Amino acid sequence: MKRRIFLATSAGAVLSVLSRPVAAVAQSSVLTTLVNEYAAGGVVREGRVKFDIARLVDNGNSVPIEVTVDSPMTRQQHVVGIKIFNEKNPQNDVAQFTLSPQSGRARVATRIRLAATQQLVAVAKMNDGSCWTHTVEVLVTIASCVEE
Amino acid sequence: MARTLITVPETAKAGEIIEIKALVQHPMETGYRRSSDGDMLPRDLIRTFTCHFVVGPTAASAAEAGELVFAATFHAAVAANPYLSFNFRATASGTLVMVWNGDKGFAQRETVNLRVS
């Protein structure tokens, strides 16, 4: 193979790897059921939601999270609610938030507990009834103490 | 009375989107833990948080008559001393009324004045 051809093709191969979208996490069936329950018949799609959480959690007792939703937050088009579910804590519910056009920005931050390495999902419900999700997978090294 | 820490800018321009941070002192006992004697520790959680906005300078006494800005429902997976950060579009001067309610009759109410110029 000529050197120039080799360089051109290998550069192309590298680019295609780099530009590949981040592989979406295959959502656990536990979470899918919960999301569909919350959607109550509304269309559920992936996207528009950004679930910010450290991928490697040192201490499961207090994990900062932030959920931002891509929405203009006007009377005509806004987020009405955000709900967070986890896969493996004793309870699947984490928290639910109610937002309004008064919020100005569709964003909420808090701190949560994680009892195991698991998946989490943030669901945003729009005023038109559609739901958008972002699923993340986190590795927990010290779990939130279920014991004493 | 639990201690709270609320951060709201004192003044805002009309139409400005401000950030509100609210933290309340609370153990958020999950009900899944045992004491050193082996007894189950009873669940003691804050269940709800609401933030209403009441327009007007002397509105602090007007209870929760204002418009709902933000609300939250907590479960055992929310960390101790629940912290929240959310946003609010300031359009007029008024008072933010924040209320936490929980198990064992926990109730906490705080008001913060906001001046909009």
Side-chain angles (χ1 to χ4, degrees), chain B residues 43 46 53 58 66-67 74 86-88 94 99:
Chain B
R43 181 168 289 172
I46 290 182
F53 185 70
T58 56
E67 197 177 349
F74 294 145
F86 53 96
N87 295 82
F88 173 60
V99 178

Side-chain angles (χ1 to χ4, degrees), chain A residues 61 73 75 89-91 93-98 100-104 107-113 145-148, chain B residues 17 19 27-28 30 32-34 67-73 75-80 83-85 87-89:
Chain A
N61 278 311
M73 293 307 272
R75 291 257 164 227
N89 280 12
Q91 272 182 307
D93 284 322
V94 177
Q96 185 171 349
F97 308 101
T98 309
S100 71
Q102 278 294 306
S103 301
R107 171 195 156 271
V108 60
T110 185
R111 294 181 193 136
I112 65 166
R113 290 179 175 134
C145 37
V146 178
E147 306 293 306
E148 178 197 345
Chain B
I17 295 167
E19 185 186 0
M28 291 295 278
T30 59
Y32 297 111
R33 301 196 310 153
R34 287 178 186 283
E67 197 177 349
L68 183 74
V69 173
F70 179 85
T73 309
H75 297 273
V78 172
Y83 161 82
L84 279 170
S85 163
N87 295 82
F88 173 60
R89 186 181 278 130

Side-chain angles (χ1 to χ4, degrees), chain A:
Chain A
M1 189 187 282
K2 274 193 179 149
R3 186 171 169 271
R4 78 187 67 156
I5 297 168
F6 171 74
L7 284 177
T9 50
S10 57
V14 167
L15 269 180
S16 72
V17 167
L18 288 178
S19 61
R20 199 168 50 184
V22 179
V25 184
Q27 199 180 56
S28 105
S29 58
V30 181
L31 294 181
T32 312
T33 317
L34 291 162
V35 167
N36 288 336
E37 233 166 71
Y38 177 63
V43 190
V44 181
R45 272 164 292 185
E46 212 171 307
R48 286 182 72 176
V49 181
K50 189 164 165 269
F51 193 162
D52 246 333
I53 184 168
R55 290 301 145 100
L56 178 67
V57 174
D58 289 333
N59 183 354
N61 278 311
S62 182
V63 187
I65 61 159
E66 183 176 27
V67 179
T68 356
V69 188
D70 176 21
S71 164
M73 293 307 272
T74 56
R75 291 257 164 227
Q76 294 76 33
Q77 232 186 328
H78 59 269
V79 178
V80 291
I82 296 174
K83 191 152 189 183
I84 298 162
F85 294 109
N86 71 73
E87 189 192 357
K88 285 177 181 163
N89 280 12
Q91 272 182 307
N92 292 114
D93 284 322
V94 177
Q96 185 171 349
F97 308 101
T98 309
L99 285 84
S100 71
Q102 278 294 306
S103 301
R105 267 187 78 197
R107 171 195 156 271
V108 60
T110 185
R111 294 181 193 136
I112 65 166
R113 290 179 175 134
L114 292 173
T117 291
Q118 58 183 312
Q119 284 186 8
L120 290 148
V121 66
V123 199
K125 195 182 257 180
M126 306 295 173
N127 59 329
D128 63 6
S130 68
C131 284
W132 298 82
T133 65
H134 185 195
T135 310
V136 290
E137 199 146 16
V138 291
L139 189 76
V140 179
T141 48
I142 300 174
S144 174
C145 37
V146 178
E147 306 293 306
E148 178 197 345

Side-chain angles (χ1 to χ4, degrees), chain B residues 6-21:
Chain B
I6 297 170
T7 317
V8 178
E10 273 178 33
T11 58
K13 290 191 187 75
E16 191 183 339
I17 295 167
I18 59 165
E19 185 186 0
I20 299 169
K21 293 178 191 167

Side-chain angles (χ1 to χ4, degrees), chain B:
Chain B
M1 287 297 261
R3 283 170 63 191
T4 57
L5 186 62
I6 297 170
T7 317
V8 178
E10 273 178 33
T11 58
K13 290 191 187 75
E16 191 183 339
I17 295 167
I18 59 165
E19 185 186 0
I20 299 169
K21 293 178 191 167
L23 186 144
V24 61
Q25 190 180 35
H26 194 281
M28 291 295 278
E29 191 55 62
T30 59
Y32 297 111
R33 301 196 310 153
R34 287 178 186 283
S35 69
S36 43
D37 306 329
D39 304 326
M40 220 59 186
L41 290 166
R43 181 168 289 172
D44 181 14
L45 296 172
I46 290 182
R47 301 285 179 163
T48 58
F49 167 82
T50 57
C51 177
H52 285 80
F53 185 70
V54 189
V55 179
T58 56
S61 58
E64 277 71 70
E67 197 177 349
L68 183 74
V69 173
F70 179 85
T73 309
F74 294 145
H75 297 273
V78 172
N81 305 322
Y83 161 82
L84 279 170
S85 163
F86 53 96
N87 295 82
F88 173 60
R89 186 181 278 130
T91 46
S93 295
T95 309
L96 288 156
V97 184
M98 298 182 205
V99 178
W100 289 264
N101 278 303
D103 298 339
K104 296 183 183 172
F106 183 91
Q108 180 89 18
R109 184 175 181 273
E110 298 288 334
T111 58
V112 182
N113 289 316
L114 177 69
R115 203 147 39 84
V116 174
S117 52

